[in-house]
């Protein structure tokens, strides 16, 4: 791809990130408002180095102080990105939304199960999920201490 095409891709991805329709669509499917998405979340994502398709590396996202405090961020990013090592703006917003304190307990339970099965140790099919391991994932996702 020529450098002109790469610049056009990044510019196109930036325009999509800034589009009010993108913010509204993400607001409809996440716990954030369109103002939060087009404002601070877009600014946070723009601060990351991005590839020619406008995606940031999951490692760069996880290194951000605002994101690093979430112990399950790597799994949340993997759930919301098409390519495990790279994440686009929509995946970034969706991952942060799932870790948000605004998410209901029911959504957190579903997320904990999805994250657990993502690790390859459990499944909804043949394999039984070890209760203690699931409990630990649930505790990390909810951010609460249970006994």
């Amino acid at each position: 791809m020529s450098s002109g095409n790469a610049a056009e891709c990044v510019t196109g991805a930036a325009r999509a990130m800034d589009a009010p329709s993108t913010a509204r669509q993400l607001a409809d499917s996440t716990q954030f408002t369109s103002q939060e998405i087009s404002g601070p979340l877009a600014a946070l994502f723009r601060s990351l180095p991005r590839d020619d398709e406008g995606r940031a590396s999951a490692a760069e996202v996880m290194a951000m102080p605002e994101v690093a405090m979430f112990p399950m961020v790597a799994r949340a990013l993997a759930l919301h990105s098409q390519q495990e090592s790279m994440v686009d703006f929509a995946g970034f917003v969706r991952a942060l939304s799932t870790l948000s304190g605004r998410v209901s307990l029911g959504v957190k339970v579903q997320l904990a199960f999805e994250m657990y099965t993502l690790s390859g140790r459990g499944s909804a099919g043949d394999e039984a999920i070890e209760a203690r391991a699931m409990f630990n994932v649930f505790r990390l996702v909810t951010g609460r201490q249970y006994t």
Side-chain angles (χ1 to χ4, degrees):
M1 176 180 292
S2 74
S3 61
N5 288 343
E8 289 171 18
C9 283
V10 171
T11 303
R15 275 195 303 269
M17 187 180 354
D18 293 332
S21 62
T22 300
R24 280 192 304 274
Q25 288 171 347
L26 286 169
D28 289 343
S29 63
T30 66
Q31 301 298 313
F32 297 118
T33 67
S34 57
Q35 291 80 15
E36 290 170 320
I37 293 166
S38 60
L41 291 172
L44 198 58
F45 192 76
R46 263 192 226 98
S47 72
L48 295 166
R50 288 172 280 143
D51 68 6
D52 59 348
E53 294 179 24
R55 300 172 303 177
S57 102
E60 292 280 349
V61 173
M62 290 184 288
M64 300 175 81
E66 301 88 344
V67 176
M69 67 182 157
F70 296 107
M72 301 301 287
V73 71
R75 289 185 181 184
L77 288 169
L79 280 174
H80 297 287
S81 61
Q82 294 176 353
Q83 183 184 355
E84 192 170 322
S85 63
M86 302 299 286
V87 63
D88 63 10
F89 181 63
F92 172 77
V93 171
R94 287 186 181 103
L96 293 184
S97 177
T98 61
L99 299 171
S100 156
R102 301 174 190 173
V103 176
S104 71
L105 185 59
V107 170
K108 286 185 180 192
V109 169
Q110 180 180 354
L111 176 66
F113 181 77
E114 288 173 6
M115 286 183 173
Y116 184 76
T117 58
L118 183 67
S119 73
R121 291 191 307 248
S123 74
D126 302 338
E127 300 176 38
I129 295 175
E130 184 182 320
R132 188 72 186 156
M134 183 65 194
F135 177 78
N136 288 334
V137 171
F138 181 72
R139 186 176 45 82
L140 286 171
V141 169
T142 62
R144 296 182 181 163
Q145 294 298 317
Y146 298 97
T147 56

